[in-house]
Amino acid sequence: MELSKYGTARSSSYSCSAIFRDLVIICLLFLTTIRADSVLFRSNEYSTGALGYGPFQSYFSANYTPAEWNFVVPVNESANAPSLTSGYIFSAPRGASVLREGAAIYDQSGSLVWDGSIYGQTLSFSIVTYLGEPHIILWTGTSSSAGVGFGYDILLNSKYQLVANFTTVNIEGETGTTLADFHEAQITSNNTALMTAYPINALDLTLIDGPEEGFILDSAMQELNISSNEPLFTWLASDHVNITECYNTPGTGGGSVSEAFDYFHMNSIEKDDEGNYLISSRHCWTVYYLDGTNGDILWKMGGKDSSFTMGSGTNFSWQHHARWVEKNDSYATMTLFDNAGEFGQQQEQMSRGLYLGLNFTNMTVELLTEFLPWNQSISQSQGSVQLQPNGNFLVGFGQLPWTGEYTPEGDLLWTAQFGVGDVESYRALRYNWSGAPTDSPSIALVTASSSNLLSAHASWNGATEIVKWELYGASDSSGTGSISLYNKTRSGFETTITVSNSYSHYAVRAIGKGNQVLGSSDFVSSSDAVRVAGRSVFAVISACIVLVLLS
């Protein structure tokens, strides 16, 4: 059986860069406990930092290093033996302890599905519907220690092709300085984009003990027509919200553009079917509901001037990710992440996810459920809460590298940590997603120096429909006279097939449902294989020492 056209095989000569690459792989695989598609359970070594502050997975067939997960509360240890909703976890680890920052899609076990580190540091990252089709939307750029950033949003289709990139337009502060911010990236039912921006404006700050000739980092939200790049609606916090509503203080700042006072700090936007906007102000501890026509504030929930009477357990502070769940004229439900503190202060013992009920008849808020972290800590920034189709809730703990899932009653089902040191993820969300990349699958070969065994490692970044991998052997790089050698069910991101080394070239096919061929790799020469099996520990350590000296 012959394969279809494959392309040119790699050269059998070993370049210096290839040697360096292979030595790196050898060191990673032999001198750490991290393996491809690895996942740990209640690992004390992981939690104490013995495996490093940002443990990662590594592969032979792909140059990716996604965060390794440690299930501190494993799913199968739950007394409720839960049945979890299908779908993938969307997370974007970043921070000084992360080897390579960027968006990543994981399956429930913690295995990589798609590595988006090519786009760099990512914050807002989710699935949206655009022109009737599911797309990935993500914000990429640079963020500062002040909690704001400068970058732009991109849309990728199910083939991971770039469809659009965009940012806010015509939002210029009085100083001419505006940060196109990361706090929200959404697509509305009208195929428009929702984004945040932070223009710098002059403002008298004496009402909050700041300078008279002060400067604020204002908060703006904008709805944009993606195709025409036309702004459809722009709202500026300082036009509607007095600085006395904020809980943040300027301290010794606010007197210059470089020390502009961030009084409002908008961090989420949602547009409802009525055409109105729900926005969250972290520094005012308030969720605002805005008229979608003129921007007037229709009501406020929380903070110093709440339109609602807040029931027991419903007060929140420094919050993130306010989202409608259900809503009618008399009653609505909402989720949000209550940080309960920020850097240098905290209002409660711990952060938590909240599920709230809003009664519009008597203007009261009730606590429906709260979702508490497994070790009762404060997440000083970021965070998310997402209702799942089966009624569970997925909570991302933002600045703390944890993701957890809870029953509708608030019982913890599982928690995974994806780092120990400076590792964080703006949000953690779950979606059903079908990815069909247009590039080819990857293959890497590993041979044993003391036997005739060969291991073929196969992967395909972002492909979600693979059922099994099929390994082929041939006598040349064109695949002439190729023979099917073995089929193996897909296992995690990288699947390994081990056979007797009887051919000079090998390739893999990705097979989907109904034995449909989804894609094929190039044929690669067995002479290019990495040789690790059968080496002594001394030889491996020696190779790593050489690598360190060379680097």
Side-chain angles (χ1 to χ4, degrees):
M1 179 178 180
E2 293 188 0
L3 293 173
S4 55
K5 186 176 179 180
Y6 278 86
T8 305
R10 296 183 300 179
S11 170
S12 61
S13 63
Y14 235 11
S15 67
C16 291
S17 62
I19 295 173
F20 187 86
R21 175 205 65 198
D22 292 340
L23 285 174
V24 169
I25 292 174
I26 293 169
C27 291
L28 289 177
L29 291 178
F30 281 86
L31 298 185
T32 74
T33 59
I34 308 304
R35 295 292 185 268
D37 297 300
S38 60
V39 59
L40 299 177
F41 295 87
R42 295 192 182 280
S43 169
N44 184 63
E45 290 80 8
Y46 188 112
S47 297
T48 58
L51 302 181
Y53 291 121
F56 57 89
Q57 304 176 60
S58 59
Y59 312 99
F60 282 102
S61 60
N63 185 27
Y64 304 136
T65 54
E68 184 192 36
W69 288 14
N70 176 36
F71 281 89
V72 291
V73 180
V75 177
N76 59 7
E77 291 188 11
S78 169
N80 298 315
S83 175
L84 304 180
T85 297
S86 64
Y88 300 116
I89 307 296
F90 284 62
S91 179
R94 64 192 185 97
S97 300
V98 178
L99 186 62
R100 185 179 298 158
E101 297 180 313
I105 302 175
Y106 298 88
D107 66 19
Q108 179 60 54
S109 70
S111 288
L112 182 68
V113 174
W114 177 68
D115 184 287
S117 58
I118 186 176
Y119 299 106
Q121 182 180 146
T122 297
L123 283 100
S124 295
F125 173 43
S126 63
I127 296 296
V128 294
T129 300
Y130 179 62
L131 301 178
E133 298 292 334
H135 286 70
I136 290 174
I137 190 171
L138 62 85
W139 180 95
T140 179
T142 58
S143 62
S144 71
S145 59
V148 294
F150 186 78
Y152 58 95
D153 299 324
I154 65 173
L155 279 172
L156 305 173
N157 61 21
S158 61
K159 297 179 180 180
Y160 304 97
Q161 297 169 321
L162 180 65
V163 173
N165 61 69
F166 47 89
T167 187
T168 52
V169 297
N170 300 331
I171 302 179
E172 295 184 2
E174 296 172 8
T175 67
T177 303
T178 299
L179 299 177
D181 192 60
F182 59 74
H183 283 96
E184 193 62 273
Q186 285 290 305
I187 301 297
T188 71
S189 58
N190 296 322
N191 298 307
T192 57
L194 297 177
M195 298 166 289
T196 55
Y198 280 73
I200 297 179
N201 290 316
L203 189 68
D204 182 352
L205 300 178
T206 55
L207 289 176
I208 53 173
D209 299 323
E212 180 178 358
E213 295 182 359
F215 294 88
I216 60 168
L217 196 59
D218 216 337
S219 283
M221 62 84 64
Q222 186 171 82
E223 184 173 357
L224 181 77
N225 184 311
I226 297 173
S227 58
S228 67
N229 204 41
E230 174 190 3
L232 303 175
F233 183 88
T234 303
W235 188 88
L236 194 64
S238 61
D239 290 339
H240 300 270
V241 180
N242 194 287
I243 57 170
T244 58
E245 289 190 29
C246 71
Y247 288 86
N248 198 21
T249 57
T252 58
S256 66
V257 170
S258 62
E259 295 183 336
F261 171 52
D262 183 6
Y263 94 99
F264 191 80
H265 201 93
M266 185 188 306
N267 58 26
S268 71
I269 317 168
E270 186 175 39
K271 188 176 184 180
D272 63 18
D273 293 337
E274 299 173 48
N276 299 325
Y277 303 95
L278 186 77
I279 68 169
S280 168
S281 166
R282 170 170 165 85
H283 290 171
C284 291
W285 302 4
T286 304
V287 174
Y288 296 84
Y289 189 54
L290 312 179
D291 186 296
T293 302
N294 55 29
D296 288 346
I297 297 173
L298 299 177
W299 51 252
K300 309 172 187 179
M301 185 183 73
K304 296 180 180 179
D305 189 27
S306 180
S307 306
F308 295 84
T309 299
M310 306 298 290
S312 176
T314 64
N315 285 301
F316 50 85
S317 57
W318 313 106
Q319 80 287 343
H320 283 77
H321 199 227
R323 288 288 190 261
W324 291 122
V325 176
E326 294 181 336
K327 181 176 178 290
N328 57 43
D329 291 339
S330 60
Y331 191 80
T333 53
M334 178 190 299
T335 55
L336 63 82
F337 185 80
D338 175 19
N339 292 84
E342 70 150 3
F343 300 96
Q345 63 175 296
Q346 66 182 65
Q347 275 57 50
E348 302 292 343
Q349 180 183 356
M350 69 190 82
S351 301
R352 57 189 179 142
L354 292 179
Y355 183 36
L356 303 175
L358 285 68
N359 189 313
F360 299 123
T361 301
N362 57 22
M363 297 301 287
T364 59
V365 179
E366 62 177 329
L367 177 64
L368 300 177
T369 320
E370 62 180 357
F371 313 104
L372 305 179
W374 68 282
N375 65 351
Q376 302 185 5
S377 297
I378 288 287
S379 176
Q380 297 171 322
S381 69
Q382 308 161 85
S384 60
V385 181
Q386 182 193 36
L387 175 67
Q388 304 298 290
N390 67 349
N392 289 347
F393 292 83
L394 187 72
V395 180
F397 285 88
Q399 185 251 345
L400 299 176
W402 314 326
T403 302
E405 187 165 350
Y406 299 78
T407 68
E409 295 75 31
D411 296 325
L412 180 60
L413 296 175
W414 61 269
T415 292
Q417 61 180 150
F418 51 91
V420 181
D422 181 9
V423 181
E424 55 197 66
S425 178
Y426 184 56
R427 293 170 180 164
L429 305 167
R430 179 189 277 135
Y431 299 99
N432 288 315
W433 171 250
S434 296
T438 57
D439 59 356
S440 299
S442 298
I443 181 175
L445 304 179
V446 177
T447 58
S449 58
S450 59
S451 72
N452 195 41
L453 294 179
L454 174 141
S455 291
H457 301 266
S459 65
W460 198 2
N461 191 34
T464 61
E465 307 306 304
I466 303 172
V467 174
K468 62 182 179 181
W469 288 98
E470 188 169 15
L471 178 67
Y472 284 80
S475 57
D476 57 43
S477 61
S478 68
T480 303
S482 60
I483 300 296
S484 177
L485 302 176
Y486 200 86
N487 288 303
K488 187 173 182 180
T489 301
R490 176 183 182 171
S491 175
F493 180 78
E494 184 175 72
T495 301
T496 302
I497 301 174
T498 301
V499 295
S500 175
N501 187 7
S502 304
Y503 293 86
S504 63
H505 290 77
Y506 295 87
V508 288
R509 271 183 169 177
I511 309 296
K513 293 181 180 179
N515 286 322
Q516 177 188 6
V517 177
L518 303 176
S520 304
S521 75
D522 290 342
F523 271 99
V524 296
S525 174
S526 59
S527 63
D528 282 347
V530 178
R531 298 181 183 274
V532 294
R535 290 190 176 193
S536 66
V537 174
F538 175 80
V540 174
I541 295 176
S542 299
C544 292
I545 292 173
V546 171
L547 172 61
V548 172
L549 292 175
L550 288 176
S551 62

